[in-house]
Amino acid sequence: MHTLNFRGESMDKISIRQAVREDMPAINGILNYATVNTNYNLNTKPRSEEKALEWFDAHKKDGYPVVVAEFGGKVIGWASLSRFREYSGYNTTAEVSVYVSVNHRHKGVGTTLLTTLMTMAEGKYHCLVAVVTDNNWASLALHTRCGFTPNTTFHEIGFKNNVYIDITFMTKILDREINTNGL
Ligand SMILES: CC(C)(COP(=O)(O)OP(=O)(O)OC[C@H]1O[C@@H](n2cnc3c(N)ncnc32)[C@H](O)[C@@H]1OP(=O)(O)O)[C@@H](O)C(=O)NCCC(=O)NCCS
């Protein structure tokens, strides 16, 4: 766990730590807020608490990290690495997700969560992928800021709230050699 200052609010501290099962209601609440209010993810319905716990348990079992940002004893953001695709040839790649509670955005929390994950991915994954909807300028900016490059845009590949949605895959190749033993 490490503690840092919010950008521009030096008295207020957030900490980043590995998530525990008890964080799942908060993590799921932040995800579901984005699901219900935006087209930034392609979930068309909120995720149940039961499914959220299944997701957490599977991440734990498979060794994919989930981290949270905590402020004043509350989870205000989270980020995770997940399997990108099932084929074993993708074992050296992981997909990133970053979500910050609507009241705490644009204070550097997303950047801190993403850079923490990138550090955790070093030596383990060669490539990170962010799957970003084209109207999600904050996410495009966040990932660009952290060194991700936009690749192909898949036009009208998603459909939510009665509109087709373009998706851009952004990738970052991590510098260090990875240990491919067992992959
Ligand atoms: C995308 C998201 C995680 C960014 O988190 P955040 O904590 O607001 O990000 P940061 O404060 O670290 O800002 C990173 C960059 O994003 C851009 N940005 C974020 N919010 C912004 C705002 N309100 N106004 C202007 N720029 C903004 C800026 O370029 C910023 O860098 P800068 O301040 O150096 O210019 C957050 O907006 C979010 O949770 N969105 C909903 C969920 C989502 O879309 N997740 C990503 C799915 S791919």
Side-chain angles (χ1 to χ4, degrees):
M1 168 169 132
H2 64 281
T3 306
L4 64 160
N5 293 331
F6 268 158
R7 193 188 303 164
E9 296 180 42
S10 59
M11 296 306 286
D12 298 333
K13 298 249 170 93
I14 62 167
S15 56
I16 306 286
R17 61 168 171 79
Q18 303 240 21
V20 292
R21 218 164 179 264
E22 289 67 32
D23 294 320
M24 278 318 294
I27 288 173
N28 206 36
I30 294 169
L31 175 82
N32 285 341
Y33 181 90
T35 297
V36 170
N37 293 291
T38 74
N39 286 351
Y40 296 161
N41 69 41
L42 292 187
N43 294 339
T44 53
K45 288 184 191 142
R47 184 176 64 178
S48 69
E49 295 226 345
E50 189 189 354
K51 288 276 173 218
L53 287 171
E54 279 173 26
W55 175 89
F56 181 80
D57 292 342
H59 268 62
K60 201 87 186 153
K61 179 171 154 281
D62 297 339
Y64 286 104
V66 183
V67 294
V68 292
E70 203 174 43
F71 175 65
K74 285 193 173 163
V75 170
I76 59 162
W78 63 273
S80 64
L81 293 180
S82 303
R83 184 151 191 96
F84 174 58
R85 297 195 76 192
E86 279 310 313
Y87 306 106
S88 51
Y90 287 109
N91 283 359
T92 53
T93 293
E95 182 176 338
V96 298
S97 300
V98 189
Y99 283 78
V100 176
S101 157
V102 71
N103 296 324
H104 293 91
R105 290 186 190 156
H106 207 203
K107 293 178 177 175
V109 179
T111 301
T112 306
L113 285 164
L114 185 52
T115 50
T116 302
L117 269 190
M118 284 159 50
T119 304
M120 293 171 92
E122 276 174 12
K124 201 163 178 201
Y125 300 103
H126 177 65
C127 178
L128 298 182
V129 183
V131 178
V132 183
T133 60
D134 256 12
N135 58 349
N136 195 351
W137 52 269
S139 182
L140 289 167
L142 166 69
H143 288 92
T144 301
R145 189 172 198 255
C146 290
F148 284 68
T149 309
N151 294 297
T152 306
T153 296
F154 296 93
H155 294 286
E156 302 190 7
I157 195 173
F159 184 77
K160 182 174 174 181
N161 293 327
N162 287 322
V163 287
Y164 288 106
I165 294 169
D166 295 350
I167 301 283
T168 298
F169 276 30
M170 299 184 77
T171 53
K172 181 172 173 81
I173 303 296
L174 299 173
D175 289 338
R176 292 197 197 156
E177 285 300 311
I178 62 160
N179 177 2
T180 52
N181 284 344
L183 290 179

